[in-house]
Amino acid sequence: MNYAELKLSIPKWINKTNLNDAQCAEFITMAENDIRRDLILHQIETKVTGTANASGDIPMPADLEQIQYISVNADGAPPYLDYLAPDNLGNTSNKDLHTPRWYWVENQAIKTMKPAIGYTLFYIPKVASLTIGAPTN
């Protein structure tokens, strides 16, 4: 069943033939939001691997909803980076700069203190909504 068929079936299922197109679309949006809350997130966890750029930036995936964790390939690094709020960056010492320990998010990028480091980013992707232009997901 696609989006248009779903919108047509709602008035039949709830036995309210006076619903307009906008009300049916709103009903679908509310149902999708409810379903998203019930999803078992680890079942849709996704991972990407790559190398941070020369500034230590990791590109943020377009479908990223929530970062689960980031692992890095560096000697002496912990298995997973901890999140550090950007306001707390001044509390780190120079010795901390040589081994990646943290990441933070700034200007739509995931930042680390180590350039050109290999990483694996585990994240929960956004669940696509149904629309007229994307009638199935």
Side-chain angles (χ1 to χ4, degrees), residues 52-75:
N53 68 17
S55 299
D57 295 354
I58 296 172
M60 194 173 296
D63 66 340
L64 184 137
E65 177 72 29
Q66 174 185 327
I67 296 172
Q68 293 296 91
Y69 54 94
I70 301 171
S71 67
V72 293
N73 308 325
D75 291 336

Side-chain angles (χ1 to χ4, degrees), residues 9-94:
S9 71
I10 290 170
K12 294 175 192 170
W13 275 94
I14 64 173
N15 201 24
K16 277 186 95 60
T17 56
N18 62 339
L19 293 178
N20 64 37
D21 197 53
Q23 290 170 315
C24 291
E26 183 179 5
F27 184 86
I28 292 169
T29 299
M30 290 187 309
E32 287 175 331
N33 290 337
D34 193 49
I35 291 166
R36 282 187 190 99
R37 284 190 292 274
D38 291 340
L39 288 175
I40 300 171
L41 295 181
H42 71 84
Q43 291 181 342
I44 62 170
E45 185 177 85
T46 302
K47 72 177 181 177
V48 293
T49 59
T51 303
N53 68 17
S55 299
D57 295 354
I58 296 172
M60 194 173 296
D63 66 340
L64 184 137
E65 177 72 29
Q66 174 185 327
I67 296 172
Q68 293 296 91
Y69 54 94
I70 301 171
S71 67
V72 293
N73 308 325
D75 291 336
Y80 304 105
L81 299 181
D82 289 324
Y83 175 76
L84 180 67
D87 295 346
N88 293 328
L89 287 172
N91 298 333
T92 61
S93 68
N94 286 340

